[in-house]
Amino acid sequence: MAGGQNKMQVLSALDSAKTQWYHFTAIIVAGMGFFTDAYDLFCISLVTKLLGRIYYTVDGSPNPGSLPPNVSAAVNGVAFVGTLSGQLFFGWLGDRAGRKSVYGITLLLMIICSVASGLSFGHSPAGVMSTLCFFRFWLGFGIGGDYPLSATIMSEYANKKTRGAFIAAVFAMQGFGILAGGAVAIGITAIFNARFPAPPYAADPAASMPPEADYVWRIILMFGALPAALTFYWRMKMPETARYTALVARNAERAAADMARVLNVEFAKDDAEAAAAPAANTTSACPKCSRPFGLFSCEFARRHGWHLVGTASTWFLLDIAYYSQNLFQKDIFSAVGWIPAARTMSALGELFHIARAQTLIALCGTVPGYWFTVAFIDVLGRFKIQLAGFLMMAAFMLGLAAPYEHWRSAGNQTGFVVMYAFTFFFANFGPNATTFIVPAEIYPARLRATCHGISAAAGKVGAIVGSFGFMYLAQSPDPAKAAAHGYPPGIGVQNSLFALAGCSLAGFMLTFLVPEPKGKSLEEMSRENEPAAAEP
């Protein structure tokens, strides 16, 4: 019992540590990984129209080329498959080998694959798209590792009063990454447009796409390596978290030294040894199946089974809606007439319009939503923010879907864009942030990254469902209109928005499975200090 009390005293030192400069350094170092994650994941949606024009335009066609359905699905979705794989693998590895040991690997993978994504083997459409998909899979694999590792590292460094804000601040760098993707695309396009002006496709199909346009999408994709490279050195200098060193690696002296060096918190060596000592309650055999208290044990199911169902299912439903809207907002804006018809623009002119529209949405809805979460998460709590976010997302999607024909009529597009921006605001001041934060707070230290990776991977399954499903479902139910793009008939944008609203309402209901970690220590939430259930 005394050992358990000493253990709690040590962990209390971490929970009560004042906010210091190293906390902000960790936010920047971890956050730049998420900046790169968002840039790399979402910049592909900016250039897919350009890729279609360059590699799939048919001579004599009245409209510029577009990616075939199977190619579009692969280009948009392959990074999510890689991300899902990386979340599971690096989450597991982070709990086995340590957070720091694998933290640099994910960033290095992102740097290499960001550059390689802009390269191609040969000049044929098949060669270019195959190369792009191959490297975007491994890019996603590295991005996937960043999710559980960054969240776990920040949760284990932070004190319990500001832990939510610190983890949210890391995740909020995604907003700046999305914004940077649009800004870079606008800048590169403006430079090439000034140097190589081109007429609209309707006026001169061949001249509307200068050969130099092939460099534009490559530069945009490669640019994602820059922010990751700038923070690689600092990421490699980060020490292992004291919680992992003390509770999982059981190296008392190293935990004390690391914590004292970066957080200026001192505790007695005896207390450190007590923290590192094996505790019967955290390694007890499962009372029903005599297996160690691991992920697949009865004891884990008793303590955290419903929590894992809650964090995984809400992230799954959130990402169906969030990635559907984010990746295909260019198609939605075209459907309501906010972006002109493709044939009335040059190749680079179309990219400029798409980038400008997505940047405006990010600036007005996405980025503010993230930082509202940072400001209020430790005041309102995760549970209330997630409930309200799902509910408001559903409300605004219904507000877009029900009067959809009204929004399509001339003069009403601005109102549609404003309503659309609010769905992003409440996604980010809501479940897009909280589904990332909570799994890093409620599971035991030795399973924390693994469980976060499982929850995040469930989210990426939702992203795959959303990105593939919305691409097909949003097609016009009129076979003639759908066939013109090479797609089978769908249910239309309006009914797709109704379906996404339904996903948000389901997420609202499943949020009741997720506990509230506000103001509680990681050990209190993970129940690491509780004895295992007694055998009957």
Side-chain angles (χ1 to χ4, degrees), residues 25-339:
T25 302
I27 288 172
I28 294 171
V29 173
M32 287 308 292
F34 270 90
F35 178 98
T36 307
D37 296 349
Y39 182 97
D40 289 332
L41 283 178
F42 293 113
C43 69
I44 193 68
S45 67
L46 297 169
V47 302
T48 50
K49 294 275 191 180
L50 180 60
L51 289 170
R53 284 190 184 235
I54 294 173
Y55 296 106
Y56 292 94
T57 294
V58 178
D59 291 339
S61 173
N63 294 304
S66 61
L67 295 179
N70 61 326
V71 176
S72 181
V75 168
N76 281 293
V78 70
F80 293 141
V81 177
T83 303
L84 185 157
S85 305
Q87 286 164 337
L88 293 173
F89 176 74
F90 285 110
W92 169 82
L93 191 61
D95 282 334
R96 298 301 180 274
R99 289 70 158 118
K100 170 185 164 51
S101 301
V102 294
Y103 204 29
I105 298 174
T106 61
L107 202 64
L108 189 61
L109 198 56
M110 288 156 59
I111 294 169
I112 294 171
C113 293
S114 289
V115 174
S117 293
L119 305 176
S120 59
F121 301 138
H123 298 284
S124 68
V128 173
M129 295 304 148
S130 297
T131 305
L132 179 61
C133 289
F134 176 81
F135 286 113
R136 279 192 66 79
F137 172 85
W138 290 108
L139 173 65
F141 193 73
I143 289 172
D146 237 32
Y147 276 73
L149 295 175
S150 291
T152 300
I153 285 171
M154 280 312 304
S155 71
E156 293 181 344
Y157 270 125
N159 61 60
K160 65 182 180 181
K161 290 184 178 180
T162 58
R163 186 178 61 236
F166 285 170
I167 304 174
V170 170
F171 194 63
M173 295 299 288
Q174 274 200 341
F176 290 125
I178 295 171
L179 191 63
V184 168
I186 290 172
I188 298 298
T189 305
I191 292 171
F192 274 76
N193 261 332
R195 182 68 180 83
F196 309 103
Y201 182 89
D204 190 337
S208 71
M209 187 177 61
E212 293 78 9
D214 192 50
Y215 294 111
V216 172
W217 70 269
R218 300 176 188 273
I219 294 171
I220 292 172
L221 295 187
M222 288 180 174
F223 190 86
L226 183 60
L230 291 175
T231 55
F232 180 75
Y233 171 78
W234 297 107
R235 181 171 287 201
M236 296 305 296
K237 295 283 288 184
M238 292 180 74
E240 184 58 84
T241 70
R243 272 188 165 92
Y244 181 87
T245 306
L247 298 177
V248 183
R250 305 195 183 285
N251 187 332
E253 289 189 38
R254 182 62 180 270
D258 285 347
M259 190 166 70
R261 179 162 59 92
V262 300
L263 292 180
N264 298 315
V265 176
E266 297 285 355
F267 56 89
K269 181 181 176 182
D270 290 344
D271 286 350
E273 290 172 348
N281 57 299
T282 60
T283 57
S284 294
C286 173
K288 295 183 179 180
C289 55
S290 299
R291 288 186 296 183
F293 178 179
L295 180 63
F296 299 106
S297 68
C298 298
E299 187 65 18
F300 179 86
R302 182 180 72 84
R303 298 187 184 202
H304 300 292
W306 284 114
H307 295 165
L308 190 57
V309 171
T311 57
S313 62
T314 52
W315 205 334
F316 169 78
L317 291 164
L318 176 276
D319 274 9
I320 291 178
Y322 186 74
Y323 281 90
S324 294
Q325 289 189 293
N326 223 325
L327 284 174
F328 298 103
Q329 56 182 284
K330 62 185 182 299
D331 302 307
I332 295 173
F333 290 153
S334 297
V336 299
W338 198 46
I339 295 177

